[in-house]
Amino acid sequence: MEEGIVADQDGKVVVITGASSGIGRSTARLLAADGWRIAAVGRSAERLEKLQSELGEGVLTIAVDVAGTDAAKQIVDTTIEQFGQIDAVFANAGVYLDGEVAETDAEAIRKTIEVNVVAPLGLVQAALPHMLTRGSGDIILTSSIAGHQAIYSEPVYSASKHAVKGFTHALRQQIKGSGVRVAEIAPGVVLTDLWGYEEGDPRAKERLDVATGIRPEDVAEAVGFMLTRPRHVTIRDLVILPSAQDI
Ligand code: NDP
């Protein structure tokens, strides 16, 4: 197990979607090392179980399509049933879509919006009553640099990530003073499966060496930083880029 960044997080519960790969998996590892209990969500039961056996006790796996009608309720109910509480939601699962809009399949657009927008908003909505009743908690959504500036090659993806950022900002205002913090993390290029970089792919090092990509661990550390600020501090938006990203 990896070494954590802070040692006072024992027993807290975080729901992480997209925990079977990339940013979500790295964040699960980092937070587990800090004593968090993890509800790890993704479609691949096999990869979630692998993570569970790596991290040991305190990891609950929920293999579900986050875009399914009842998925949000299932995730929240199962987590509370198993762990009794939710301290943080990291709504991170997402898919990528680029290309000329005129040539893009309508079904691919619908699916992207469902997974990248409808699902995270629905998960937050399902977890909120519990968090508001407890008067504490953290909600972090993964947007993207494409949620901060529209990128010509990826209009649909940019739209989906702008929606996540808009939701974050408005919800933060709506529940200010409740004790529940709301934030988004906006990475540039992260060398994950999203770009065809499986864990351990030696090609990733070449990109790191020229700083055109960052590691999922870099993003996980930033999430850990956001979660561990004193309660009177909210890092509302954290943009994290490879130093040489051309953007
Ligand atoms: P990965 O492809 O490595 O991971 C994506 C994760 O999302 C997987 O765990 C996948 O699990 C899960 N997922 C996708 N669709 C569904 C679904 N329908 N239901 C449940 N789980 C799903 O990519 P990253 O880790 O890079 O991406 C994580 C987030 O970061 C995404 O929101 C992405 O848009 C965002 N992002 C990524 C950047 C990058 O450069 N990589 C840059 C900026 C933002 P499974 O396959 O098991 O379902």
Side-chain angles (χ1 to χ4, degrees):
M1 195 185 289
E2 288 185 7
E3 206 174 303
I5 54 170
V6 280
D8 60 353
Q9 307 294 301
D10 258 0
K12 285 193 169 183
V13 175
V14 59
V15 174
I16 302 178
T17 66
S20 56
S21 176
I23 294 167
R25 181 172 55 199
S26 288
T27 306
R29 285 175 178 147
L30 182 114
L31 294 180
D34 282 336
W36 288 72
R37 291 174 287 167
I38 316 280
V41 183
R43 283 166 306 182
S44 166
E46 193 188 329
R47 286 195 292 176
L48 291 173
E49 277 157 24
K50 201 169 158 215
L51 181 71
Q52 187 181 42
S53 46
E54 175 191 328
L55 298 181
E57 276 179 32
V59 177
L60 160 71
T61 64
I62 306 174
V64 69
D65 182 339
V66 290
T69 320
D70 296 325
K73 186 176 172 353
Q74 182 192 336
I75 293 164
V76 169
D77 288 354
T78 311
T79 306
I80 293 175
E81 220 173 271
Q82 174 84 15
F83 291 139
Q85 68 199 62
I86 295 175
D87 297 279
V89 171
F90 183 33
N92 163 76
V95 289
Y96 182 68
L97 182 67
D98 64 355
E100 299 292 321
V101 172
E103 290 158 21
T104 303
D105 179 33
E107 178 59 18
I109 295 177
R110 193 184 58 78
K111 192 71 198 165
T112 301
I113 299 301
E114 277 183 8
V115 175
N116 289 9
V117 183
V118 179
L121 271 54
L123 177 61
V124 169
Q125 192 266 339
L128 251 185
H130 170 79
M131 297 175 112
L132 291 174
T133 301
R134 296 181 77 218
S136 77
D138 280 284
I139 292 164
I140 300 180
L141 298 103
T142 304
S143 68
S144 165
I145 187 60
H148 286 250
Q149 57 191 87
I151 298 177
Y152 81 96
S153 56
E154 46 194 47
V156 175
Y157 185 74
S158 293
S160 74
K161 295 304 188 176
H162 273 72
V164 167
K165 185 185 67 175
F167 177 74
T168 302
H169 290 190
L171 177 63
R172 190 197 64 79
Q173 294 167 41
Q174 191 174 82
I175 65 170
K176 67 181 184 302
S178 67
V180 181
R181 300 188 295 194
V182 189
E184 55 108 16
I185 185 154
V189 173
V190 189
L191 302 167
T192 64
D193 284 25
L194 195 100
W195 297 117
Y197 290 90
E198 279 182 24
E199 193 162 41
D201 186 331
R203 293 174 308 141
K205 180 162 183 330
E206 294 162 23
R207 298 285 301 270
L208 294 177
D209 286 346
V210 292
T212 58
I214 58 175
R215 305 165 307 150
E217 293 89 339
D218 298 319
V219 182
E221 282 178 10
V223 171
F225 176 79
M226 294 163 85
L227 288 172
T228 52
R229 289 317 82 210
R231 296 303 303 174
H232 60 273
V233 175
T234 292
I235 309 288
R236 187 192 64 177
D237 308 277
L238 195 156
V239 178
I240 176 168
L241 302 174
S243 302
Q245 183 167 350
D246 183 19
I247 206 156

